[in-house]
Amino acid sequence: MALLIPICSLLFLFFTAGESDPTAKTYIIRIDGESKPSIFPTHYHWYSSEFTESTSILHTYDTVFRGFSASLTSAQLSTLKNHPSVLAIFEDKKRQLHTTRSPQFVGLRNQRGLWSESDYGSDVIVGVFDTGIWPERRSFSDVNLGPIPKRWKGVCQTGVKFTLKNCNKKIIGARFFSKGHEAAGGGIGFGGAINDTVEFRSARDADGHGTHTASTAAGRYVFKASMAGYAAGIAKGVAPKARIAVYKVCWKGSGCFDSDILAAFDMAVNDGVDVISISIGGGDGISSPYYLDPIAIGSYGAVARGVFVSSSAGNDGPNGMSVTNLAPWLMTVGASTIDRNFPAQVVLGDGRKLAGVSLYAGPAISGKKYPLVYPGKSGILSASLCMDNALDANLVKGKIVICDRGSSPRVAKGLVVKKAGGVGMILSNGVSNGEGLVGDAHLIPACSVGSDEGDAIKAYAATGRVTATITFQGTVIGVKPAPVVASFSGRGPNGMNPEILKPDLIAPGVNILAAWTDAVGPTGLDSDVRKVEFNILSGTSMSAPHVSGAAALLKSAHPGWSPAAIKSALMTTASTVNKQLQPMTDESTGNATTPYDFGAGHLNLDLAMDPGLVYDLTNADYVSFLCSIGYGAKTIQVITRSTAACPMRRKPVPENLNYPSIAAMFSTGKKGVLSKTLIRRVKNVGDVNSVYTVKVEAPKGVIIAVRPRKLVFSDKVRELSYYVSVKMDGTNVMMGESGALFGSLSWVDGKHVVRSPIVVTQLDPL
């Protein structure tokens, strides 16, 4: 009873201050659940007690996290920080979304292989954290699906234009989370009250992003699918028979709030999902420490309970150290192209033809040449970017306008051109975007071109009275090379812990066809009144659900595999070459890529069902890793709910986390011979009596020794460890342009190649 008096007085102070205080902000409070007084029947009763009429509680968390979120004034915050039952407090932050043919491209085939062996993911439940769903789409039909899995405990939450009939045997559950959003204040775009004129207070999707990602992961077969004629064919998700559970945490134009995301993790795990797909991140290429990151915390709670979590790597590439969602228990997915494109061509008055891409489907300009103008030659940045009200109608009327990419949506620039009287647009990449291109369903005849082409067109426009036209060439399949690393895909090294290679792998994320909402047109602009069943989008948002669907297939084929085992199978079978069997290249430069760009490689589901060996991980392994990076017991408890103490005598080494990739990091400035020995363990999931021999491709200037060099498995020996010794001359070794050297280690038995990338680097301690 000693705790009862201070806690009650604390709650009274906390909950009677009122929500009208303009200084109040939303916070997530991590509570030590073990200190709950027995007088309270539940943690919620403890948090709210008898003060429920004036409560500021938004969410309570009980499954993946123990605590609650609430609006606090600075005085309340100060009081809470000093309470012995409070382990951590962090401010609610806003995050952003990371925004047919791809299943075949990653190795799935009808009636054979992983699709056949997994029964297309039947009865696996994929939880999609996004903007909701448009349930009427053919991609979400439940025809010929069996009964809903008995283990499912979720609900179909009704709301605006979303009834119980919108759930079925495909969409088996739906929930929406808005309390954190509404508590944030600031109106649409910042959080605050849901704007009922542009949003649905329900799981119905007003944005389109959630419908797209859900159907990418688990959409049914849909014949005669296309986006206004582009990418015509049979649309299908990676796991067509998997069940979908919708968790709407993001709201059109105003992002996704941490407190709502954490509530969705808490609910989804309790509901019984097997896989979580989350295409959400910080949006600025900057990651928070794990103990301040609700996606890291929520996903740890999910993985610890056997739920696989696939997340997007972010769209801030090709800059280095731009990858986000870095927690080692997450699968972090970058983006690649596929062998399909939507070419367009800029034809200049002097006869030159410059390649670009476009999804424009309106009336063509039929090869007629129009005057060409670049507003940027005035030196006014807003004009070069074709921002709202920045174009002079006298300058652009009746002309094709060159606009620079950046600061506003690509399709919105075309609308600005149209309003000013322009007849077409050429959208030019800047140096930072390089040659990477994505298709857009423009509202006027428009074509995107790379940085080099853009410079050539601008130079031509500066020569005087010049003309151009744009031609559109539809859909082309068999583009080479493919895959290549998308220019925007988040890159390594891992800015939090470079000992863990991120991204983990890449998957299709450029020009992906998937289902769309009826609430907005394909551009997402309010002025776009077109209705399409399918849309084509690009981003690591599109890559993550490919891996979510892949994980669903593996979970269906191997129900006993842990999230770490599934992750290992996907990583060690990933491909590092393109379909032409050449090293993968970078879309932005055309140059060769490294594991900092693609992680373990490109998703390859031909091999993932039977990886031979897997690198498994337990909760204790993750706790040991957190100890190794200097987290204390209280900080670790914030993430894991574990109260286990770190070892006092010998501190663990972060590189020794049993990860499917291997990174050896040496401190900058050390000279002479540098050496480090790492340990890994592998579990045999293939033939019982197997013998694997090691094959090493050492980085240039580095000596890699592995012992033992042979692993012999039997009925009694299912798991074995091995040591990797890394040695180099710190005085003379020449690090590459990325500041690292790359190699690989493979275990081979004649049937399987279990490959792990090796990264050796010298970095200043973080």
Side-chain angles (χ1 to χ4, degrees):
M1 294 295 291
L3 284 174
L4 180 58
I5 294 175
I7 290 173
C8 285
S9 62
L10 165 66
L11 289 171
F12 183 82
L13 167 68
F14 175 29
F15 293 122
T16 57
E19 295 184 41
S20 61
D21 190 320
T23 66
K25 294 182 179 180
T26 306
Y27 295 88
I28 300 169
I29 299 93
R30 174 71 167 90
I31 298 293
D32 180 2
E34 302 303 318
S35 63
K36 179 181 74 67
S38 59
I39 190 172
F40 295 113
T42 69
H43 283 85
Y44 175 79
H45 285 87
W46 179 28
Y47 304 149
S48 58
S49 189
E50 67 264 31
F51 309 109
T52 53
E53 290 185 0
S54 58
T55 181
S56 295
I57 288 182
L58 304 175
H59 299 291
T60 57
Y61 311 109
D62 295 311
T63 306
V64 302
F65 186 78
R66 184 56 58 74
F68 59 94
S69 56
S71 294
L72 302 176
T73 65
S74 56
Q76 294 164 346
L77 177 65
S78 178
T79 303
L80 271 178
K81 283 180 177 178
N82 296 322
H83 194 276
S85 293
V86 173
L87 294 175
I89 301 175
F90 32 98
E91 187 175 341
D92 201 5
K93 292 183 179 179
K94 183 171 72 172
R95 297 174 184 266
Q96 301 295 338
L97 295 158
H98 283 156
T99 219
T100 66
R101 183 172 169 75
S102 51
Q104 292 97 319
F105 189 73
V106 297
L108 294 171
R109 299 291 182 269
N110 285 327
Q111 306 304 321
R112 61 189 176 93
L114 186 50
W115 258 348
S116 177
E117 293 293 330
S118 67
D119 190 22
Y120 298 83
S122 179
D123 291 348
V124 175
I125 303 167
V126 180
V128 181
F129 291 17
D130 216 295
T131 63
I133 198 165
W134 196 265
E136 291 81 9
R137 291 297 179 231
R138 290 182 290 167
S139 297
F140 308 124
S141 166
D142 66 352
V143 173
N144 296 326
L145 283 182
I148 294 172
K150 291 183 179 180
R151 68 184 186 283
W152 175 245
K153 297 187 294 183
V155 301
C156 186
Q157 184 180 3
T158 60
V160 176
K161 296 190 177 180
F162 202 97
T163 69
L164 292 176
K165 292 182 179 179
N166 291 131
C167 293
N168 56 19
K169 290 183 289 184
K170 180 65 174 179
I171 303 173
I172 64 173
R175 298 181 187 270
F176 64 97
F177 302 83
S178 62
K179 292 178 181 178
H181 174 284
E182 294 180 283
I188 198 72
F190 299 93
I194 302 299
N195 187 334
D196 294 330
T197 64
V198 299
E199 256 293 2
F200 304 103
R201 191 182 294 274
S202 70
R204 184 168 289 278
D205 184 7
D207 179 90
H209 193 278
T211 301
H212 199 279
T213 57
S215 62
T216 299
R220 301 296 300 277
Y221 276 68
V222 178
F223 294 88
K224 296 182 179 180
S226 75
M227 196 290 288
Y230 286 99
I234 303 171
K236 65 195 78 68
V238 177
K241 284 189 179 181
R243 316 307 175 105
I244 295 171
V246 179
Y247 298 86
K248 182 175 177 177
V249 296
C250 301
W251 299 82
K252 185 180 177 183
S254 51
C256 335
F257 283 82
D258 282 344
S259 57
D260 294 332
I261 295 170
L262 191 56
F265 270 113
D266 208 57
M267 196 63 72
V269 174
N270 192 59
D271 287 344
V273 302
D274 301 299
V275 174
I276 290 173
S277 187
I278 179 166
S279 295
I280 301 169
D284 52 8
I286 300 174
S287 296
S288 300
Y290 309 130
Y291 58 87
L292 295 177
D293 181 357
I295 291 180
I297 294 169
S299 61
Y300 179 88
V303 169
R305 288 161 179 78
V307 179
F308 181 94
V309 183
S310 174
S311 63
S312 46
N315 298 333
D316 290 305
N319 298 319
M321 207 178 288
S322 55
V323 60
T324 62
N325 290 324
L326 302 175
W329 43 88
L330 280 168
M331 174 66 99
T332 307
V333 188
S336 66
T337 66
I338 60 175
D339 62 345
R340 181 180 64 198
N341 202 7
F342 310 104
Q345 206 171 56
V346 176
V347 182
L348 302 180
D350 63 6
R352 279 183 290 167
K353 297 178 179 180
L354 300 166
V357 300
S358 182
L359 293 170
Y360 173 70
I365 53 180
S366 302
K368 180 181 176 181
K369 288 188 169 63
Y370 290 87
L372 179 66
V373 63
Y374 176 48
K377 72 177 185 179
S378 65
I380 301 173
L381 181 61
S382 61
S384 70
L385 293 169
C386 297
M387 304 291 285
D388 277 336
N389 303 314
L391 296 183
D392 181 352
N394 295 321
L395 177 67
V396 305
K397 187 175 181 180
K399 299 177 182 178
I400 293 176
V401 182
I402 306 166
C403 298
D404 287 328
R405 184 172 164 184
S407 297
S408 64
R410 299 183 298 272
V411 289
K413 297 175 187 294
L415 189 59
V416 172
V417 171
K418 182 179 181 180
K419 287 179 178 178
V423 298
M425 177 181 70
I426 299 169
L427 183 61
S428 173
N429 278 0
V431 174
S432 62
N433 303 116
E435 304 310 305
L437 299 175
V438 295
D440 292 304
H442 292 285
L443 291 165
I444 65 169
C447 171
S448 296
V449 297
S451 177
D452 291 344
E453 288 83 355
D455 288 345
I457 296 169
K458 291 173 194 174
Y460 172 69
T463 62
R465 293 186 176 183
V466 293
T467 61
T469 191
I470 305 171
T471 62
F472 304 96
Q473 298 164 321
T475 303
V476 174
I477 292 174
V479 174
K480 299 176 182 178
V484 303
V485 179
S487 61
F488 57 77
S489 184
R491 314 299 174 94
N494 180 334
M496 193 76 61
N497 296 110
E499 302 92 344
I500 305 298
L501 178 64
K502 292 285 183 173
D504 291 309
L505 49 66
I506 58 173
V510 177
N511 295 333
I512 303 302
L513 179 81
W516 193 245
T517 177
D518 259 356
V520 294
T523 63
L525 298 176
D526 293 338
S527 58
D528 187 355
V529 296
R530 295 173 292 176
K531 304 293 184 187
V532 295
E533 183 180 6
F534 293 90
N535 200 5
I536 295 171
L537 297 183
S538 299
T540 55
S541 279
M542 286 62 251
S543 309
H546 278 87
V547 173
S548 304
L553 296 177
L554 288 178
K555 185 72 174 177
S556 183
H558 302 287
W561 281 12
S562 68
I566 293 172
K567 181 177 183 178
S568 175
L570 294 171
M571 290 176 65
T572 61
T573 59
S575 176
T576 61
V577 296
N578 58 33
K579 296 294 184 180
Q580 293 69 52
L581 303 182
Q582 298 296 316
M584 278 191 293
T585 54
D586 188 330
E587 185 186 34
S588 65
T589 64
N591 297 333
T593 50
T594 75
Y596 277 171
D597 306 311
F598 56 70
H602 189 271
L603 182 66
N604 180 12
L605 297 183
D606 270 336
L607 303 175
M609 184 181 67
D610 181 20
L613 307 175
V614 295
Y615 294 81
D616 211 350
L617 283 161
T618 66
N619 296 342
D621 291 320
Y622 291 126
V623 170
S624 179
F625 168 77
L626 294 172
C627 290
S628 75
I629 62 173
Y631 285 11
K634 185 176 179 181
T635 303
I636 293 173
Q637 189 180 358
V638 170
I639 302 166
T640 68
R641 294 174 63 166
S642 169
T643 56
C646 292
M648 298 295 292
R649 290 186 178 180
R650 189 171 183 179
K651 182 180 177 181
V653 177
E655 292 103 318
N656 279 342
L657 181 68
N658 198 45
Y659 216 67
S661 55
I662 298 169
M665 190 178 77
F666 298 98
S667 297
T668 301
K670 288 192 174 182
K671 305 300 181 182
V673 176
L674 307 177
S675 65
K676 182 170 288 190
T677 298
L678 310 178
I679 186 172
R680 290 291 189 272
R681 66 178 185 274
V682 285
K683 180 185 294 184
N684 182 20
V685 294
D687 298 333
V688 172
N689 297 304
S690 301
V691 178
Y692 285 82
T693 303
V694 72
K695 178 183 177 182
V696 174
E697 294 181 7
K700 187 177 181 180
V702 179
I703 298 172
I704 304 286
V706 178
R707 64 180 197 278
R709 297 187 59 81
K710 186 178 289 186
L711 299 176
V712 181
F713 295 95
S714 65
D715 186 41
K716 294 182 179 180
V717 180
R718 298 294 183 93
E719 197 166 356
L720 290 169
S721 296
Y722 67 91
Y723 295 87
V724 182
S725 174
V726 182
K727 185 181 295 186
M728 70 177 188
D729 184 343
T731 304
N732 298 313
V733 71
M734 297 294 293
M735 291 292 172
E737 185 178 336
S738 62
L741 299 170
F742 303 98
S744 68
L745 180 155
S746 301
W747 290 103
V748 182
D749 71 344
K751 179 182 179 182
H752 306 93
V753 178
V754 187
R755 184 184 182 280
S756 294
I758 295 176
V759 180
V760 180
T761 187
Q762 284 186 291
L763 291 173
D764 292 321
L766 297 176

